[in-house]
């Protein structure tokens, strides 16, 4: 379920709770819990801090006339202060890399949609 719709983890966990109304095949599918291994990428220890900071500010995008432009780095720096990040420079570079991957994905999706619509 999470793999398909990329639900937040808590919603996904609730979706995988076995209920009395579930048919046997549904109970079997849910028996191991959510498929986090297929939904969320493995995070290497050296990237954990950047991923955590990004997750706390990933809704803070700067938008322009053509759409999303970049992640608000000021917000990322404030979140780093709250979480008392020691190596802010390294963490910021990681956050920016994650943001650039997300921007590229959105750009690709937008281009696909425009090509489908004939624009």
């Amino acid at each position: 379920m999470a793999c398909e719709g990329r639900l937040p983890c808590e919603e996904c966990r609730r979706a995988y709770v076995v209920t009395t109304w579930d048919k046997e095949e549904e109970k079997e599918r849910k028996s191991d819990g959510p498929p986090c291994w297929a939904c969320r990428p493995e995070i290497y220890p050296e990237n954990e801090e950047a991923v955590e900071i990004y997750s706390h500010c990933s809704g803070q995008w700067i938008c322009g006339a053509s759409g999303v432009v970049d992640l608000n780095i000021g917000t990322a720096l404030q979140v780093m202060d709250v979480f008392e990040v020691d190596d802010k420079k390294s963490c910021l570079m990681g956050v920016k890399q994650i943001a650039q991957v997300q921007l590229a994905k959105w750009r690709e999706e937008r281009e696909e949609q425009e090509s489908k619509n004939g624009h």
Side-chain angles (χ1 to χ4, degrees), residues 85-105:
V85 172
D86 292 327
D87 187 358
K88 288 184 176 63
K89 183 177 181 180
S90 176
C91 186
L92 181 61
M93 296 309 293
V95 169
K96 287 183 70 62
Q97 286 178 329
I98 296 167
Q100 290 304 311
V101 169
Q102 182 62 56
L103 283 167
K105 181 181 175 196

Side-chain angles (χ1 to χ4, degrees), residues 9-113:
C9 290
E10 192 54 42
E11 285 182 45
C12 185
R13 284 188 203 102
R14 283 194 302 266
Y16 274 82
V17 170
V18 176
T19 68
T20 56
W21 301 281
D22 288 337
K23 295 179 182 174
E24 285 306 313
E25 62 267 8
E26 191 68 8
K27 288 179 182 178
E28 178 66 29
R29 185 180 72 81
K30 291 179 173 182
S31 66
D32 290 331
C36 296
W37 55 270
C39 181
R40 304 288 181 219
E42 179 181 354
I43 300 169
Y44 295 117
E46 62 269 20
N47 297 327
E48 286 177 356
E49 199 166 50
V51 170
E52 181 176 8
I53 298 303
Y54 175 81
S55 73
H56 287 290
C57 58
S58 62
Q60 301 299 313
W61 292 94
I62 299 170
C63 297
S66 62
V68 180
V69 177
D70 202 354
L71 186 68
N72 186 330
I73 298 306
T75 301
L77 291 169
Q78 289 176 328
V79 172
M80 284 184 224
D81 285 342
V82 169
F83 284 90
E84 299 177 344
V85 172
D86 292 327
D87 187 358
K88 288 184 176 63
K89 183 177 181 180
S90 176
C91 186
L92 181 61
M93 296 309 293
V95 169
K96 287 183 70 62
Q97 286 178 329
I98 296 167
Q100 290 304 311
V101 169
Q102 182 62 56
L103 283 167
K105 181 181 175 196
W106 284 338
R107 210 173 5 259
E108 183 178 302
E109 289 171 357
R110 185 177 64 223
E111 288 169 1
E112 284 178 21
Q113 189 63 36

